């Protein structure tokens, strides 16, 4: 019953207004005493391990968002070596992973979402990933919220796709149809030695915004789908393990690869915890 009420509340809550307000408050640096109380409460409530942070003192952060997107100590997340080894892009838990079938991506028992819709509705953009593989990784409040490259790649396109802002926890994944292709999101397309790679940063309730290292804050937008292509000097190259973006309040990453390009590690399964940098798959 509680789960049903929680899901129902997602439909009636003014998602956009609540989330944008939360984002503004999280950026506010005008009341250090209040900010410090909120951060300390958050650390205790969610069990955040500040010993891993480059700056372990919670009071040293100028705002809640600065704390939430905190940097880790150098070397604390070693990146899996090997030209054929794909690294995990984030700390989190696997929601689902597997194969894409008939343009549908498995979300949870009884639920799926459309690949083409996930990538902004452009069939040409989605075509290279037809019948490919995917992994959906959920970042909980306690996790490190920067996103890193699972393999080397060159940025080709970024697509901001407006949408709803449902929560993306397991309860909503099981009960809200088309969830990850319904929420506001930023799809980043890279060219790699294994073919194109899509990293989709999915927004959620209370998520202040999504950033990329090349464009800064890309959501919220003006309510219109915006696709930006990068060519020549603008087509920035990234090394495996390099930061590519971050969530200013957390959410989910959907990683999509073409058919036959990669095999996910056999020890990965839905519900399992993962950490940035650990071996995630092997290039075919």
């Amino acid at each position: 019953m509680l789960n049903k009420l929680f899901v129902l509340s997602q439909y009636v809550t003014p998602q956009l207004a609540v989330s944008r307000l939360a984002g503004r408050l999280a950026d506010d640096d005008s009341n250090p005493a209040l900010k410090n109380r909120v951060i300390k409460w958050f650390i205790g409530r969610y069990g955040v391990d500040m010993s891993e942070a480059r700056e372990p003192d919670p009071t040293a952060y100028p705002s809640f968002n600065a704390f939430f997107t905190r940097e880790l100590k150098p070397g604390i997340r070693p990146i899996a070596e090997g030209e054929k080894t794909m690294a995990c892009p984030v700390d989190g838990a696997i929601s689902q992973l597997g194969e894409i079938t008939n343009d549908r991506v498995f979300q949870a028992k009884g639920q799926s979402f459309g690949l083409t819709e996930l990538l902004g509705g452009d069939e040409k953009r989605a075509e290279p990933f037809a019948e490919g593989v995917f992994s959906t990784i959920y970042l909980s409040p306690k996790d490190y919220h920067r996103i890193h490259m699972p393999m080397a790649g060159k940025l080709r396109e970024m697509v901001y796709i407006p949408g709803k802002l449902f929560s993306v926890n397991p309860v909503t994944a099981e009960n809200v149809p088309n969830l990850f292709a319904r929420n506001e999101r930023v799809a980043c397309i890279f060219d790699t030695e294994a073919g194109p790679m899509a990293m989709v940063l999915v927004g959620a309730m209370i998520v202040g915004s999504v950033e990329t290292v090349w464009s800064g804050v890309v959501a919220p937008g003006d309510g219109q789908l915006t696709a930006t292509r990068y060519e020549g000097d603008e087509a920035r190259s990234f090394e495996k393990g390099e930061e590519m973006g971050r969530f200013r309040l957390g959410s989910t990453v959907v990683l999509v690869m073409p058919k036959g390009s990669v095999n996910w590690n056999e020890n990965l399964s839905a519900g399992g915890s993962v950490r940035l940098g650990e071996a995630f798959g092997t290039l075919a």
Side-chain angles (χ1 to χ4, degrees):
M1 177 60 72
L2 289 177
N3 285 347
K4 290 182 179 179
L5 290 173
F6 173 73
V7 172
L8 178 61
S9 73
Q10 301 282 302
Y11 285 93
V12 299
T13 299
Q15 300 171 341
L16 185 61
V18 170
S19 298
R20 299 307 183 234
L21 175 61
R24 287 194 294 271
L25 293 175
D27 276 331
D28 184 24
D29 59 2
S30 65
N31 191 332
L34 176 60
K35 176 265 299 182
N36 289 339
R37 286 198 297 271
V38 172
I39 290 176
K40 289 179 179 178
W41 170 85
F42 189 93
I43 290 171
R45 172 67 176 82
Y46 293 106
V48 178
D49 185 359
M50 292 301 292
S51 70
E52 295 187 332
R54 187 163 196 160
E55 175 50 78
D57 179 6
T59 66
Y61 295 93
S63 68
F64 182 85
N65 252 336
F67 152 74
F68 195 82
T69 58
R70 63 196 173 275
E71 186 178 359
L72 293 177
K73 289 178 179 176
I76 205 165
R77 294 286 191 277
I79 304 301
E81 299 181 352
E83 293 183 0
K84 296 294 185 181
T85 301
M86 177 179 279
C88 183
V90 292
D91 284 3
I94 296 175
S95 295
Q96 297 294 338
L97 80 169
E99 298 179 351
I100 300 164
T101 304
N102 296 326
D103 199 56
R104 302 304 296 177
V105 182
F106 184 62
Q107 177 175 302
K109 184 177 180 180
Q111 304 290 354
S112 65
F113 57 93
L115 170 67
T116 301
E117 188 176 1
L118 175 74
L119 298 179
D122 188 321
E123 292 183 357
K124 185 176 180 180
R125 184 182 300 124
E127 184 178 3
F129 304 104
E131 310 302 312
V133 294
F134 77 96
S135 178
T136 304
I137 308 172
Y138 167 68
L139 288 72
S140 74
K142 69 178 177 59
D143 288 321
Y144 169 66
H145 278 82
R146 299 191 185 191
I147 306 150
H148 295 247
M149 293 289 288
M151 59 188 299
K154 179 176 285 189
L155 177 65
R156 182 208 303 172
E157 187 178 23
M158 180 180 73
V159 188
Y160 166 74
I161 306 140
K164 300 293 185 180
L165 287 170
F166 287 95
S167 170
V168 291
N169 64 24
V171 173
T172 48
E174 293 173 1
N175 291 278
V176 178
N178 217 34
L179 176 62
F180 298 113
R182 193 171 185 168
N183 271 14
E184 181 179 76
R185 56 204 178 277
V186 177
C188 305
I189 313 296
F190 298 88
D191 289 318
T192 77
E193 67 171 88
M197 174 179 71
M199 295 183 69
V200 184
L201 316 184
V202 183
M205 181 75 78
I206 310 299
V207 174
S209 54
V210 174
E211 290 185 49
T212 65
V213 299
W214 60 87
S215 66
V217 175
V218 292
D222 59 2
Q224 300 296 317
L225 185 149
T226 305
T228 305
R229 292 190 63 86
Y230 300 90
E231 299 175 348
D233 293 340
E234 292 183 334
R236 177 171 171 174
S237 294
F238 291 82
E239 297 300 321
K240 180 166 71 172
E242 188 175 352
E243 182 186 345
M244 57 78 62
R246 62 186 69 173
F247 289 115
R248 291 151 56 89
L249 298 179
S251 192
T252 292
V253 173
V254 183
L255 178 61
V256 185
M257 295 292 294
K259 181 179 181 179
S261 63
V262 62
N263 296 308
W264 302 134
N265 282 4
E266 293 182 355
N267 64 331
L268 300 177
S269 61
S273 296
V274 290
R275 280 198 155 190
L276 167 67
E278 65 186 18
F280 200 75
T282 303
L283 302 186

